[in-house]
Amino acid sequence: MSTAVIATIATLFSLLVSPSSGAVAADAPAPVVLIVDASGSMVRDAGGRSRMAVAQEATRAAITALPTGTPTGLLVFGTGTGNDDRERAAGCQDVTTLSPLRPVDAKALGAAVDGIRASGFTPIGPALRKAAAMLPADGPGSIVLVSDGVDTCAPPSSCEVAAQLHRANPLLTIHVVGFGVDDDEEAQQQMTCIGGVGGGTAVSASDPAQLSARLRAAATAQRDGVVSAQGMNGVRLGMTLAEVRAAVDGARVGTPTTSGGVEVIVVDCGWGKVELHDDRVFSITPTDASTGTAEGIAPGDGIAAFIRLYGAGQPQPDGSVVFPVTSTGQTGYRVETDGTGAIRTVVVCRCVAAAQGTSVSTWEIGFDGVGPLQIGMTLDDARAAVPGLTRRSDAVWMLTAPSGKPLLSAGFVDDQLAVVQVGSSSDVPGDLRQIAPRARGILLGDSTGLVTDAFPGGSTSAASIDQNTRYIVTDRAGRVLSFRFTYVSGIHQDGVASIRVEDGSVTRRTDVRQSFALILP
């Protein structure tokens, strides 16, 4: 069995039990329900053992690492039927409660996990609903899904179900570990979407060592005094300043400064420095130099400990190295070492650059830009980051799909990137759907409901000329993320035709809109 897959599930598990908001030292851990995929595909080989055997071992390790007293439930799907189409109706309701929500009992839960036998369908949506029903309806709680494939019981899609559950209880977080899905684009997209709209995280485990470390981290992230992929001591990456103040008593807020058009605020929480960029937590630096990670890596260890789990990392100009800790997005550990290669400090941050040479479909769309294309960068930097960009005009550079359709368009003002658009407002996504970047799991072609669940609080506008409607959300810095839905032959398709991020202060100018006519219809 590969130890990396075990690591990912364990890491995620600790992320699950950390509350999404509230005071740093909660009296009791937030409840968590673990869902284990036992569909027929889990019998496939994973390094000499079945995927099911690897997942069982990882799950037992994660349960053992849960803080004492954590209310824990355990569900499994796929054990009650085969996966023949004649059994589909029963198989798509085949969700079994192995343990109701009760204080964690590692021995009893471990025995239940050992008894799982894989055979059936993949009813992810029904399993998510059943797990949510076990948790408080209006309080914090987490669901962890471990799965190796695509929901075989849609509609409704499991992503839509996750969005509905998180909307009904914003304190519910849904996390996903995709096991062995590296070569399955559809499964990756589905897992990313569930985590994105469910308010949680999505990570993938390609080998057992990675799985084991990440599951361990997930199981221990709530413990005070460690940093994890979500944050530290109840403060999470992406929180607003108001949320940080609510989570930390006596936080001292520094004077705002501006760097590169970004407002930076540093908050002293006593146990660490929290840095916010445009009112979102960007990094957390522990005050105690001995603070380690939820994976069990501590200052004084060799940097090889990170390399074994996360690969070579991304060297930074200041000599530190950033190690990505989620399969998508910008979250990572920034690690400084001394002259001997021993770890000196570990910072958790939203500082992971999109890897060059990787598939465009792995890029994330956010208020800062699209993958390596960051709003404000120069044309030369953009062309270096994405060598495939070709000139369409002085202001517009494009990346095209194999079909010849525009996959991505980048617009520049005064040699600075001001707007990036994925997809075309006039076309049905078609072949672009699986190869285009995504925003919190949202792909071209996804529905209005999924978009509004993933990005709440926006506004809708209608364009009379091209019959498109747009859903628009804006961050504190005035950057705009918009989703355009298209009509075809007068029929509303309710599918995202394009996703655009732009510097609102620049693209409001009439002369700029005219120069971007190709991509800002």
Side-chain angles (χ1 to χ4, degrees), residues 192-516:
T192 303
C193 190
I194 292 171
V197 302
T201 58
V203 297
S204 61
S206 52
D207 67 74
Q210 187 181 62
L211 175 58
S212 194
R214 292 182 176 177
L215 253 187
R216 181 187 187 280
T220 59
Q222 182 175 331
R223 185 164 49 97
D224 286 348
V226 297
V227 292
S228 74
Q230 283 197 325
M232 181 178 176
N233 289 1
V235 176
R236 297 175 56 179
L237 297 179
M239 273 186 169
T240 64
L241 178 58
E243 290 170 333
V244 173
R245 282 175 151 160
V248 181
D249 292 334
R252 296 183 293 278
V253 181
T255 303
T257 61
T258 301
S259 176
V262 176
E263 183 184 68
V264 178
I265 298 175
V266 177
V267 180
D268 185 349
C269 296
W271 46 260
K273 298 293 174 89
V274 176
E275 183 174 304
L276 294 92
H277 290 188
D278 289 334
D279 198 36
R280 296 287 174 180
V281 174
F282 174 81
S283 67
I284 303 173
T285 304
T287 301
D288 186 345
S290 66
T291 300
T293 73
E295 290 88 341
I297 303 174
D301 293 341
I303 197 169
F306 273 106
I307 295 173
R308 280 194 298 271
L309 294 180
Y310 298 115
Q314 300 175 352
Q316 305 298 300
D318 62 1
S320 65
V321 181
V322 170
F323 294 93
V325 292
T326 57
S327 55
T328 59
Q330 299 175 303
T331 303
Y333 291 127
R334 186 170 66 237
V335 180
E336 293 183 357
T337 60
D338 61 19
T340 68
I343 297 168
R344 188 166 56 200
T345 59
V346 180
V347 175
V348 64
C349 54
R350 300 174 72 181
C351 51
V352 174
Q356 295 184 32
T358 59
S359 169
V360 175
S361 66
T362 65
W363 294 357
E364 284 291 308
I365 305 170
F367 290 104
D368 294 331
V370 179
L373 293 172
Q374 298 293 289
I375 296 297
M377 72 191 322
T378 66
L379 174 58
D380 286 344
D381 287 343
R383 294 182 65 191
V386 184
L389 285 175
T390 57
R391 182 178 178 274
R392 184 70 177 267
S393 69
D394 289 340
V396 178
W397 291 69
M398 304 187 76
L399 194 64
T400 53
S403 63
K405 289 183 180 179
L407 175 61
L408 178 149
S409 306
F412 296 83
V413 175
D414 298 331
D415 195 41
Q416 288 191 317
L417 183 62
V419 57
V420 186
Q421 178 167 300
V422 173
S424 168
S425 299
S426 58
D427 291 331
V428 178
D431 61 313
L432 300 185
R433 176 174 169 82
Q434 295 299 333
I435 64 174
R438 63 201 71 189
R440 294 185 188 170
I442 301 299
L443 281 178
L444 298 179
D446 279 347
S447 68
T448 307
L450 283 180
V451 173
T452 55
D453 283 323
F455 294 90
S459 60
T460 302
S461 67
S464 57
I465 297 177
D466 55 15
Q467 301 187 73
N468 289 145
T469 58
R470 286 202 300 162
Y471 180 75
I472 303 166
V473 284
T474 306
D475 73 355
R476 181 170 175 168
R479 290 175 180 168
V480 178
L481 195 59
S482 59
F483 299 80
R484 186 168 291 217
F485 302 88
T486 191
Y487 283 73
V488 178
S489 301
I491 301 173
H492 187 198
Q493 300 296 303
D494 193 32
V496 176
S498 64
I499 307 174
R500 187 171 74 217
V501 56
E502 59 192 90
D503 183 338
S505 64
V506 172
T507 54
R508 276 196 299 268
R509 289 165 34 192
T510 303
D511 60 325
V512 171
R513 293 188 66 84
Q514 290 173 344
S515 67
F516 290 164

Side-chain angles (χ1 to χ4, degrees), residues 112-264:
V113 169
D114 286 342
I116 296 174
R117 298 293 179 265
S119 62
F121 283 82
T122 313
I124 293 177
L128 292 174
R129 290 191 190 280
K130 192 164 188 175
M134 296 168 66
L135 294 166
D138 56 359
S142 297
I143 297 172
V144 184
L145 166 67
V146 183
S147 178
D148 76 334
V150 174
D151 188 343
T152 56
C153 295
S157 75
S158 50
C159 191
E160 291 176 45
V161 172
Q164 291 166 3
L165 295 174
H166 183 60
R167 181 174 64 240
N169 178 10
L171 296 180
L172 170 68
T173 53
I174 302 174
H175 306 265
V176 186
V177 178
F179 178 17
V181 298
D182 290 355
D183 298 322
D184 189 334
E185 287 284 346
E186 185 180 1
Q188 286 187 40
Q189 188 274 332
Q190 183 179 93
M191 303 300 178
T192 303
C193 190
I194 292 171
V197 302
T201 58
V203 297
S204 61
S206 52
D207 67 74
Q210 187 181 62
L211 175 58
S212 194
R214 292 182 176 177
L215 253 187
R216 181 187 187 280
T220 59
Q222 182 175 331
R223 185 164 49 97
D224 286 348
V226 297
V227 292
S228 74
Q230 283 197 325
M232 181 178 176
N233 289 1
V235 176
R236 297 175 56 179
L237 297 179
M239 273 186 169
T240 64
L241 178 58
E243 290 170 333
V244 173
R245 282 175 151 160
V248 181
D249 292 334
R252 296 183 293 278
V253 181
T255 303
T257 61
T258 301
S259 176
V262 176
E263 183 184 68
V264 178

